[in-house]
Amino acid sequence: MTETAYPLPVFHFSVTIGSSKGGFSEVSGLHLEYGDMKMPGLPKVSDVTLRKGIMDANNTFFDWLHQVKRHIPEREDVFISLLNEEHKPVMTWKLEKAWPIKMEGPGFKGDSNEIVLEKLVLAYERLTVDS
């Protein structure tokens, strides 16, 4: 009997920055292109945006971004993995030597019951994909 293939859900993923695993609610910007004006060339990557809920007394993103201000950003490899039903990686995007370039705090609304999210934008040197 053959196994039926189907697309995996977008919500089942994990993010690891260096040796820390984070609980992120959204990842966007995994873009890679080669060439310009229909000619092959050097790879061009876009910045990647991570969004996560703010936890009590956790300034990890701000502390990492603050290092950039002092011109000594710690570059970390970032792994974004799409997971299957057994919580095993099916495909992994690796951002090599990433560093934060922007952090955005939450917007506040008195009539909302949403969780508070912060946004971190990362630059990186190279994007690879493993399956």
Side-chain angles (χ1 to χ4, degrees):
M1 183 148 111
T2 60
E3 195 173 307
T4 304
Y6 57 91
L8 294 167
V10 71
F11 63 81
H12 199 184
F13 65 95
S14 69
V15 176
T16 303
I17 299 176
S19 60
S20 303
K21 218 168 203 179
F24 292 88
S25 60
E26 186 177 336
V27 175
S28 61
L30 290 169
H31 303 278
L32 174 64
E33 29 179 302
Y34 283 94
D36 192 15
M37 300 185 65
K38 309 283 186 201
M39 296 188 59
L42 296 174
K44 182 172 121 180
V45 295
S46 63
D47 299 334
V48 168
T49 301
L50 305 172
R51 286 184 178 79
K52 74 177 213 53
I54 293 179
M55 306 298 277
D56 191 21
N58 183 345
N59 291 330
T60 306
F61 284 173
F62 181 78
D63 294 342
W64 193 21
L65 183 65
H66 188 65
Q67 292 176 352
V68 175
K69 178 181 163 189
R70 296 178 290 162
H71 303 289
I72 52 166
E74 185 173 330
R75 294 179 184 221
E76 297 280 1
D77 288 340
V78 177
F79 299 88
I80 301 158
S81 298
L82 178 63
L83 306 176
N84 65 16
E85 295 166 340
E86 289 82 38
H87 313 292
K88 304 282 189 226
V90 173
M91 197 168 200
T92 299
W93 291 260
K94 179 182 179 185
L95 314 178
E96 293 183 18
K97 298 181 182 176
W99 70 97
I101 58 171
K102 179 180 178 183
M103 188 191 100
E104 187 176 312
F108 297 101
K109 292 172 33 179
D111 63 348
S112 177
N113 63 354
E114 299 171 9
I115 64 168
V116 179
L117 295 176
E118 64 183 337
K119 177 169 86 171
L120 181 69
V121 180
L122 301 175
Y124 54 96
E125 291 186 9
R126 184 171 174 233
L127 173 66
T128 59
V129 181
D130 294 319
S131 52

PDB file of all heavy atoms in Angstrom, residues 7-42:
ATOM      1  N   PRO A   7       0.457  18.198   1.529  1.00  0.00           N
ATOM      2  CA  PRO A   7       1.259  19.333   2.023  1.00  0.00           C
ATOM      3  C   PRO A   7       1.218  19.414   3.550  1.00  0.00           C
ATOM      4  O   PRO A   7       0.204  19.097   4.174  1.00  0.00           O
ATOM      5  CB  PRO A   7       0.577  20.553   1.405  1.00  0.00           C
ATOM      6  CG  PRO A   7      -0.279  20.018   0.314  1.00  0.00           C
ATOM      7  CD  PRO A   7      -0.642  18.621   0.684  1.00  0.00           C
ATOM      8  N   LEU A   8       2.308  19.836   4.124  1.00  0.00           N
ATOM      9  CA  LEU A   8       2.392  19.984   5.580  1.00  0.00           C
ATOM     10  C   LEU A   8       1.788  21.316   6.018  1.00  0.00           C
ATOM     11  O   LEU A   8       1.834  22.303   5.273  1.00  0.00           O
ATOM     12  CB  LEU A   8       3.851  19.896   6.022  1.00  0.00           C
ATOM     13  CG  LEU A   8       4.486  18.529   5.786  1.00  0.00           C
ATOM     14  CD1 LEU A   8       5.988  18.613   5.936  1.00  0.00           C
ATOM     15  CD2 LEU A   8       3.923  17.507   6.754  1.00  0.00           C
ATOM     16  N   PRO A   9       1.239  21.384   7.226  1.00  0.00           N
ATOM     17  CA  PRO A   9       0.644  22.636   7.705  1.00  0.00           C
ATOM     18  C   PRO A   9       1.714  23.683   8.026  1.00  0.00           C
ATOM     19  O   PRO A   9       2.809  23.355   8.474  1.00  0.00           O
ATOM     20  CB  PRO A   9      -0.111  22.223   8.974  1.00  0.00           C
ATOM     21  CG  PRO A   9       0.535  20.955   9.412  1.00  0.00           C
ATOM     22  CD  PRO A   9       1.074  20.293   8.179  1.00  0.00           C
ATOM     23  N   VAL A  10       1.375  24.922   7.800  1.00  0.00           N
ATOM     24  CA  VAL A  10       2.300  26.038   7.975  1.00  0.00           C
ATOM     25  C   VAL A  10       2.580  26.344   9.456  1.00  0.00           C
ATOM     26  O   VAL A  10       3.581  26.955   9.787  1.00  0.00           O
ATOM     27  CB  VAL A  10       1.762  27.282   7.226  1.00  0.00           C
ATOM     28  CG1 VAL A  10       0.539  27.844   7.925  1.00  0.00           C
ATOM     29  CG2 VAL A  10       2.825  28.334   7.055  1.00  0.00           C
ATOM     30  N   PHE A  11       1.718  25.906  10.354  1.00  0.00           N
ATOM     31  CA  PHE A  11       1.852  26.253  11.769  1.00  0.00           C
ATOM     32  C   PHE A  11       2.802  25.367  12.558  1.00  0.00           C
ATOM     33  O   PHE A  11       3.125  25.664  13.704  1.00  0.00           O
ATOM     34  CB  PHE A  11       0.485  26.258  12.456  1.00  0.00           C
ATOM     35  CG  PHE A  11      -0.184  24.910  12.468  1.00  0.00           C
ATOM     36  CD1 PHE A  11       0.149  23.952  13.414  1.00  0.00           C
ATOM     37  CD2 PHE A  11      -1.146  24.602  11.527  1.00  0.00           C
ATOM     38  CE1 PHE A  11      -0.460  22.711  13.421  1.00  0.00           C
ATOM     39  CE2 PHE A  11      -1.771  23.368  11.523  1.00  0.00           C
ATOM     40  CZ  PHE A  11      -1.420  22.414  12.475  1.00  0.00           C
ATOM     41  N   HIS A  12       3.284  24.261  11.980  1.00  0.00           N
ATOM     42  CA  HIS A  12       4.106  23.315  12.737  1.00  0.00           C
ATOM     43  C   HIS A  12       5.580  23.500  12.365  1.00  0.00           C
ATOM     44  O   HIS A  12       6.084  22.863  11.450  1.00  0.00           O
ATOM     45  CB  HIS A  12       3.638  21.899  12.446  1.00  0.00           C
ATOM     46  CG  HIS A  12       4.074  20.912  13.479  1.00  0.00           C
ATOM     47  ND1 HIS A  12       3.840  19.579  13.369  1.00  0.00           N
ATOM     48  CD2 HIS A  12       4.741  21.046  14.645  1.00  0.00           C
ATOM     49  CE1 HIS A  12       4.330  18.939  14.402  1.00  0.00           C
ATOM     50  NE2 HIS A  12       4.886  19.823  15.192  1.00  0.00           N
ATOM     51  N   PHE A  13       6.264  24.391  13.103  1.00  0.00           N
ATOM     52  CA  PHE A  13       7.658  24.697  12.814  1.00  0.00           C
ATOM     53  C   PHE A  13       8.394  24.994  14.109  1.00  0.00           C
ATOM     54  O   PHE A  13       7.781  25.209  15.155  1.00  0.00           O
ATOM     55  CB  PHE A  13       7.763  25.892  11.846  1.00  0.00           C
ATOM     56  CG  PHE A  13       7.259  27.193  12.408  1.00  0.00           C
ATOM     57  CD1 PHE A  13       8.136  28.096  13.004  1.00  0.00           C
ATOM     58  CD2 PHE A  13       5.917  27.520  12.346  1.00  0.00           C
ATOM     59  CE1 PHE A  13       7.683  29.292  13.524  1.00  0.00           C
ATOM     60  CE2 PHE A  13       5.456  28.721  12.863  1.00  0.00           C
ATOM     61  CZ  PHE A  13       6.332  29.611  13.453  1.00  0.00           C
ATOM     62  N   SER A  14       9.709  24.988  14.021  1.00  0.00           N
ATOM     63  CA  SER A  14      10.536  25.357  15.178  1.00  0.00           C
ATOM     64  C   SER A  14      11.634  26.298  14.719  1.00  0.00           C
ATOM     65  O   SER A  14      12.029  26.280  13.549  1.00  0.00           O
ATOM     66  CB  SER A  14      11.142  24.115  15.838  1.00  0.00           C
ATOM     67  OG  SER A  14      12.118  23.539  14.996  1.00  0.00           O
ATOM     68  N   VAL A  15      12.113  27.119  15.648  1.00  0.00           N
ATOM     69  CA  VAL A  15      13.203  28.057  15.370  1.00  0.00           C
ATOM     70  C   VAL A  15      14.255  27.888  16.457  1.00  0.00           C
ATOM     71  O   VAL A  15      13.939  27.899  17.639  1.00  0.00           O
ATOM     72  CB  VAL A  15      12.710  29.522  15.337  1.00  0.00           C
ATOM     73  CG1 VAL A  15      13.871  30.480  15.136  1.00  0.00           C
ATOM     74  CG2 VAL A  15      11.647  29.716  14.271  1.00  0.00           C
ATOM     75  N   THR A  16      15.504  27.721  16.022  1.00  0.00           N
ATOM     76  CA  THR A  16      16.624  27.642  16.956  1.00  0.00           C
ATOM     77  C   THR A  16      17.618  28.723  16.587  1.00  0.00           C
ATOM     78  O   THR A  16      18.025  28.833  15.424  1.00  0.00           O
ATOM     79  CB  THR A  16      17.307  26.262  16.871  1.00  0.00           C
ATOM     80  OG1 THR A  16      16.334  25.248  17.120  1.00  0.00           O
ATOM     81  CG2 THR A  16      18.430  26.146  17.883  1.00  0.00           C
ATOM     82  N   ILE A  17      17.991  29.539  17.574  1.00  0.00           N
ATOM     83  CA  ILE A  17      18.991  30.589  17.385  1.00  0.00           C
ATOM     84  C   ILE A  17      20.200  30.207  18.231  1.00  0.00           C
ATOM     85  O   ILE A  17      20.106  30.185  19.453  1.00  0.00           O
ATOM     86  CB  ILE A  17      18.461  31.973  17.793  1.00  0.00           C
ATOM     87  CG1 ILE A  17      17.250  32.346  16.937  1.00  0.00           C
ATOM     88  CG2 ILE A  17      19.557  33.029  17.682  1.00  0.00           C
ATOM     89  CD1 ILE A  17      16.584  33.656  17.334  1.00  0.00           C
ATOM     90  N   GLY A  18      21.299  29.889  17.561  1.00  0.00           N
ATOM     91  CA  GLY A  18      22.467  29.387  18.290  1.00  0.00           C
ATOM     92  C   GLY A  18      22.095  28.079  18.955  1.00  0.00           C
ATOM     93  O   GLY A  18      21.676  27.132  18.301  1.00  0.00           O
ATOM     94  N   SER A  19      22.173  28.044  20.272  1.00  0.00           N
ATOM     95  CA  SER A  19      21.796  26.834  21.003  1.00  0.00           C
ATOM     96  C   SER A  19      20.454  26.981  21.705  1.00  0.00           C
ATOM     97  O   SER A  19      20.051  26.104  22.456  1.00  0.00           O
ATOM     98  CB  SER A  19      22.885  26.492  22.032  1.00  0.00           C
ATOM     99  OG  SER A  19      23.036  27.565  22.934  1.00  0.00           O
ATOM    100  N   SER A  20      19.746  28.092  21.454  1.00  0.00           N
ATOM    101  CA  SER A  20      18.465  28.353  22.116  1.00  0.00           C
ATOM    102  C   SER A  20      17.291  28.095  21.186  1.00  0.00           C
ATOM    103  O   SER A  20      17.244  28.629  20.077  1.00  0.00           O
ATOM    104  CB  SER A  20      18.391  29.802  22.585  1.00  0.00           C
ATOM    105  OG  SER A  20      19.448  30.101  23.433  1.00  0.00           O
ATOM    106  N   LYS A  21      16.343  27.309  21.660  1.00  0.00           N
ATOM    107  CA  LYS A  21      15.123  27.065  20.907  1.00  0.00           C
ATOM    108  C   LYS A  21      14.086  28.086  21.370  1.00  0.00           C
ATOM    109  O   LYS A  21      13.917  28.313  22.567  1.00  0.00           O
ATOM    110  CB  LYS A  21      14.619  25.658  21.167  1.00  0.00           C
ATOM    111  CG  LYS A  21      14.059  25.027  19.944  1.00  0.00           C
ATOM    112  CD  LYS A  21      13.836  23.560  20.114  1.00  0.00           C
ATOM    113  CE  LYS A  21      13.837  22.996  18.719  1.00  0.00           C
ATOM    114  NZ  LYS A  21      13.658  21.631  18.602  1.00  0.00           N
ATOM    115  N   GLY A  22      13.410  28.705  20.414  1.00  0.00           N
ATOM    116  CA  GLY A  22      12.429  29.726  20.766  1.00  0.00           C
ATOM    117  C   GLY A  22      11.033  29.349  20.335  1.00  0.00           C
ATOM    118  O   GLY A  22      10.849  28.574  19.412  1.00  0.00           O
ATOM    119  N   GLY A  23      10.049  29.914  21.019  1.00  0.00           N
ATOM    120  CA  GLY A  23       8.649  29.713  20.676  1.00  0.00           C
ATOM    121  C   GLY A  23       8.168  30.878  19.833  1.00  0.00           C
ATOM    122  O   GLY A  23       7.685  31.866  20.372  1.00  0.00           O
ATOM    123  N   PHE A  24       8.311  30.782  18.550  1.00  0.00           N
ATOM    124  CA  PHE A  24       7.944  31.877  17.656  1.00  0.00           C
ATOM    125  C   PHE A  24       6.582  31.606  17.044  1.00  0.00           C
ATOM    126  O   PHE A  24       6.216  30.457  16.778  1.00  0.00           O
ATOM    127  CB  PHE A  24       8.992  32.051  16.558  1.00  0.00           C
ATOM    128  CG  PHE A  24      10.300  32.543  17.095  1.00  0.00           C
ATOM    129  CD1 PHE A  24      11.252  31.657  17.551  1.00  0.00           C
ATOM    130  CD2 PHE A  24      10.559  33.897  17.168  1.00  0.00           C
ATOM    131  CE1 PHE A  24      12.457  32.109  18.072  1.00  0.00           C
ATOM    132  CE2 PHE A  24      11.757  34.364  17.686  1.00  0.00           C
ATOM    133  CZ  PHE A  24      12.703  33.461  18.141  1.00  0.00           C
ATOM    134  N   SER A  25       5.829  32.669  16.797  1.00  0.00           N
ATOM    135  CA  SER A  25       4.503  32.530  16.212  1.00  0.00           C
ATOM    136  C   SER A  25       4.508  32.768  14.715  1.00  0.00           C
ATOM    137  O   SER A  25       3.565  32.397  14.028  1.00  0.00           O
ATOM    138  CB  SER A  25       3.526  33.494  16.891  1.00  0.00           C
ATOM    139  OG  SER A  25       3.959  34.823  16.718  1.00  0.00           O
ATOM    140  N   GLU A  26       5.579  33.380  14.202  1.00  0.00           N
ATOM    141  CA  GLU A  26       5.621  33.656  12.767  1.00  0.00           C
ATOM    142  C   GLU A  26       7.050  33.845  12.290  1.00  0.00           C
ATOM    143  O   GLU A  26       7.885  34.409  12.995  1.00  0.00           O
ATOM    144  CB  GLU A  26       4.827  34.933  12.476  1.00  0.00           C
ATOM    145  CG  GLU A  26       4.680  35.260  11.015  1.00  0.00           C
ATOM    146  CD  GLU A  26       3.824  36.498  10.774  1.00  0.00           C
ATOM    147  OE1 GLU A  26       2.987  36.844  11.624  1.00  0.00           O
ATOM    148  OE2 GLU A  26       4.023  37.115   9.713  1.00  0.00           O
ATOM    149  N   VAL A  27       7.315  33.372  11.087  1.00  0.00           N
ATOM    150  CA  VAL A  27       8.589  33.587  10.395  1.00  0.00           C
ATOM    151  C   VAL A  27       8.245  34.033   8.982  1.00  0.00           C
ATOM    152  O   VAL A  27       7.394  33.429   8.329  1.00  0.00           O
ATOM    153  CB  VAL A  27       9.438  32.294  10.320  1.00  0.00           C
ATOM    154  CG1 VAL A  27      10.701  32.523   9.500  1.00  0.00           C
ATOM    155  CG2 VAL A  27       9.781  31.776  11.706  1.00  0.00           C
ATOM    156  N   SER A  28       8.884  35.096   8.505  1.00  0.00           N
ATOM    157  CA  SER A  28       8.656  35.529   7.126  1.00  0.00           C
ATOM    158  C   SER A  28       9.956  36.050   6.530  1.00  0.00           C
ATOM    159  O   SER A  28      10.863  36.442   7.251  1.00  0.00           O
ATOM    160  CB  SER A  28       7.570  36.605   7.061  1.00  0.00           C
ATOM    161  OG  SER A  28       7.958  37.743   7.800  1.00  0.00           O
ATOM    162  N   GLY A  29      10.026  36.031   5.199  1.00  0.00           N
ATOM    163  CA  GLY A  29      11.173  36.587   4.502  1.00  0.00           C
ATOM    164  C   GLY A  29      12.212  35.585   4.051  1.00  0.00           C
ATOM    165  O   GLY A  29      13.339  35.964   3.757  1.00  0.00           O
ATOM    166  N   LEU A  30      11.868  34.312   3.975  1.00  0.00           N
ATOM    167  CA  LEU A  30      12.831  33.313   3.514  1.00  0.00           C
ATOM    168  C   LEU A  30      12.904  33.367   1.992  1.00  0.00           C
ATOM    169  O   LEU A  30      12.293  32.566   1.292  1.00  0.00           O
ATOM    170  CB  LEU A  30      12.420  31.917   3.983  1.00  0.00           C
ATOM    171  CG  LEU A  30      12.543  31.667   5.480  1.00  0.00           C
ATOM    172  CD1 LEU A  30      11.873  30.366   5.868  1.00  0.00           C
ATOM    173  CD2 LEU A  30      14.005  31.663   5.889  1.00  0.00           C
ATOM    174  N   HIS A  31      13.631  34.353   1.483  1.00  0.00           N
ATOM    175  CA  HIS A  31      13.744  34.572   0.045  1.00  0.00           C
ATOM    176  C   HIS A  31      15.196  34.447  -0.391  1.00  0.00           C
ATOM    177  O   HIS A  31      16.096  34.922   0.292  1.00  0.00           O
ATOM    178  CB  HIS A  31      13.274  35.985  -0.350  1.00  0.00           C
ATOM    179  CG  HIS A  31      11.881  36.289   0.068  1.00  0.00           C
ATOM    180  ND1 HIS A  31      10.785  35.903  -0.646  1.00  0.00           N
ATOM    181  CD2 HIS A  31      11.403  36.951   1.144  1.00  0.00           C
ATOM    182  CE1 HIS A  31       9.688  36.313  -0.042  1.00  0.00           C
ATOM    183  NE2 HIS A  31      10.049  36.947   1.054  1.00  0.00           N
ATOM    184  N   LEU A  32      15.404  33.833  -1.524  1.00  0.00           N
ATOM    185  CA  LEU A  32      16.737  33.715  -2.111  1.00  0.00           C
ATOM    186  C   LEU A  32      16.583  33.868  -3.613  1.00  0.00           C
ATOM    187  O   LEU A  32      15.727  33.227  -4.222  1.00  0.00           O
ATOM    188  CB  LEU A  32      17.348  32.350  -1.788  1.00  0.00           C
ATOM    189  CG  LEU A  32      18.683  31.998  -2.427  1.00  0.00           C
ATOM    190  CD1 LEU A  32      19.787  32.935  -1.950  1.00  0.00           C
ATOM    191  CD2 LEU A  32      19.050  30.558  -2.120  1.00  0.00           C
ATOM    192  N   GLU A  33      17.360  34.757  -4.211  1.00  0.00           N
ATOM    193  CA  GLU A  33      17.342  34.889  -5.668  1.00  0.00           C
ATOM    194  C   GLU A  33      18.755  34.984  -6.191  1.00  0.00           C
ATOM    195  O   GLU A  33      19.666  35.382  -5.487  1.00  0.00           O
ATOM    196  CB  GLU A  33      16.525  36.083  -6.172  1.00  0.00           C
ATOM    197  CG  GLU A  33      16.402  37.269  -5.351  1.00  0.00           C
ATOM    198  CD  GLU A  33      15.593  38.395  -5.971  1.00  0.00           C
ATOM    199  OE1 GLU A  33      15.918  38.889  -7.064  1.00  0.00           O
ATOM    200  OE2 GLU A  33      14.645  38.802  -5.319  1.00  0.00           O
ATOM    201  N   TYR A  34      18.897  34.571  -7.430  1.00  0.00           N
ATOM    202  CA  TYR A  34      20.181  34.630  -8.098  1.00  0.00           C
ATOM    203  C   TYR A  34      20.052  35.497  -9.337  1.00  0.00           C
ATOM    204  O   TYR A  34      19.107  35.357 -10.100  1.00  0.00           O
ATOM    205  CB  TYR A  34      20.651  33.238  -8.534  1.00  0.00           C
ATOM    206  CG  TYR A  34      21.187  32.420  -7.397  1.00  0.00           C
ATOM    207  CD1 TYR A  34      20.376  31.543  -6.709  1.00  0.00           C
ATOM    208  CD2 TYR A  34      22.502  32.552  -6.999  1.00  0.00           C
ATOM    209  CE1 TYR A  34      20.864  30.789  -5.657  1.00  0.00           C
ATOM    210  CE2 TYR A  34      23.002  31.808  -5.948  1.00  0.00           C
ATOM    211  CZ  TYR A  34      22.186  30.933  -5.284  1.00  0.00           C
ATOM    212  OH  TYR A  34      22.676  30.198  -4.234  1.00  0.00           O
ATOM    213  N   GLY A  35      21.020  36.363  -9.515  1.00  0.00           N
ATOM    214  CA  GLY A  35      21.057  37.177 -10.724  1.00  0.00           C
ATOM    215  C   GLY A  35      20.118  38.358 -10.677  1.00  0.00           C
ATOM    216  O   GLY A  35      19.277  38.499  -9.799  1.00  0.00           O
ATOM    217  N   ASP A  36      20.307  39.218 -11.645  1.00  0.00           N
ATOM    218  CA  ASP A  36      19.500  40.416 -11.778  1.00  0.00           C
ATOM    219  C   ASP A  36      19.256  40.607 -13.267  1.00  0.00           C
ATOM    220  O   ASP A  36      20.135  40.358 -14.090  1.00  0.00           O
ATOM    221  CB  ASP A  36      20.260  41.607 -11.183  1.00  0.00           C
ATOM    222  CG  ASP A  36      19.385  42.816 -11.027  1.00  0.00           C
ATOM    223  OD1 ASP A  36      18.155  42.680 -11.101  1.00  0.00           O
ATOM    224  OD2 ASP A  36      19.938  43.905 -10.822  1.00  0.00           O
ATOM    225  N   MET A  37      18.109  41.040 -13.632  1.00  0.00           N
ATOM    226  CA  MET A  37      17.762  41.295 -15.032  1.00  0.00           C
ATOM    227  C   MET A  37      17.996  40.057 -15.900  1.00  0.00           C
ATOM    228  O   MET A  37      18.627  40.111 -16.949  1.00  0.00           O
ATOM    229  CB  MET A  37      18.514  42.500 -15.567  1.00  0.00           C
ATOM    230  CG  MET A  37      18.195  43.773 -14.789  1.00  0.00           C
ATOM    231  SD  MET A  37      18.954  45.233 -15.456  1.00  0.00           S
ATOM    232  CE  MET A  37      18.147  45.354 -17.016  1.00  0.00           C
ATOM    233  N   LYS A  38      17.533  38.900 -15.401  1.00  0.00           N
ATOM    234  CA  LYS A  38      17.588  37.635 -16.141  1.00  0.00           C
ATOM    235  C   LYS A  38      19.002  37.125 -16.408  1.00  0.00           C
ATOM    236  O   LYS A  38      19.237  36.387 -17.342  1.00  0.00           O
ATOM    237  CB  LYS A  38      16.831  37.746 -17.469  1.00  0.00           C
ATOM    238  CG  LYS A  38      15.447  38.286 -17.332  1.00  0.00           C
ATOM    239  CD  LYS A  38      14.525  37.236 -16.798  1.00  0.00           C
ATOM    240  CE  LYS A  38      13.105  37.804 -16.815  1.00  0.00           C
ATOM    241  NZ  LYS A  38      12.217  37.176 -15.962  1.00  0.00           N
ATOM    242  N   MET A  39      19.969  37.559 -15.577  1.00  0.00           N
ATOM    243  CA  MET A  39      21.343  37.079 -15.732  1.00  0.00           C
ATOM    244  C   MET A  39      21.785  36.432 -14.424  1.00  0.00           C
ATOM    245  O   MET A  39      21.513  36.953 -13.351  1.00  0.00           O
ATOM    246  CB  MET A  39      22.277  38.237 -16.094  1.00  0.00           C
ATOM    247  CG  MET A  39      21.931  38.851 -17.436  1.00  0.00           C
ATOM    248  SD  MET A  39      23.152  40.041 -17.991  1.00  0.00           S
ATOM    249  CE  MET A  39      24.618  39.082 -18.042  1.00  0.00           C
ATOM    250  N   PRO A  40      22.484  35.297 -14.503  1.00  0.00           N
ATOM    251  CA  PRO A  40      22.958  34.654 -13.285  1.00  0.00           C
ATOM    252  C   PRO A  40      23.991  35.526 -12.578  1.00  0.00           C
ATOM    253  O   PRO A  40      24.682  36.322 -13.211  1.00  0.00           O
ATOM    254  CB  PRO A  40      23.576  33.354 -13.778  1.00  0.00           C
ATOM    255  CG  PRO A  40      23.798  33.524 -15.232  1.00  0.00           C
ATOM    256  CD  PRO A  40      22.874  34.595 -15.710  1.00  0.00           C
ATOM    257  N   GLY A  41      24.060  35.357 -11.278  1.00  0.00           N
ATOM    258  CA  GLY A  41      25.019  36.152 -10.534  1.00  0.00           C
ATOM    259  C   GLY A  41      25.110  35.723  -9.088  1.00  0.00           C
ATOM    260  O   GLY A  41      24.807  34.589  -8.746  1.00  0.00           O
ATOM    261  N   LEU A  42      25.503  36.645  -8.264  1.00  0.00           N
ATOM    262  CA  LEU A  42      25.652  36.381  -6.841  1.00  0.00           C
ATOM    263  C   LEU A  42      24.285  36.217  -6.187  1.00  0.00           C
ATOM    264  O   LEU A  42      23.319  36.859  -6.597  1.00  0.00           O
ATOM    265  CB  LEU A  42      26.408  37.531  -6.177  1.00  0.00           C
ATOM    266  CG  LEU A  42      27.850  37.733  -6.638  1.00  0.00           C
ATOM    267  CD1 LEU A  42      28.427  38.992  -6.011  1.00  0.00           C
ATOM    268  CD2 LEU A  42      28.698  36.524  -6.281  1.00  0.00           C
TER     269      LEU A  42
END
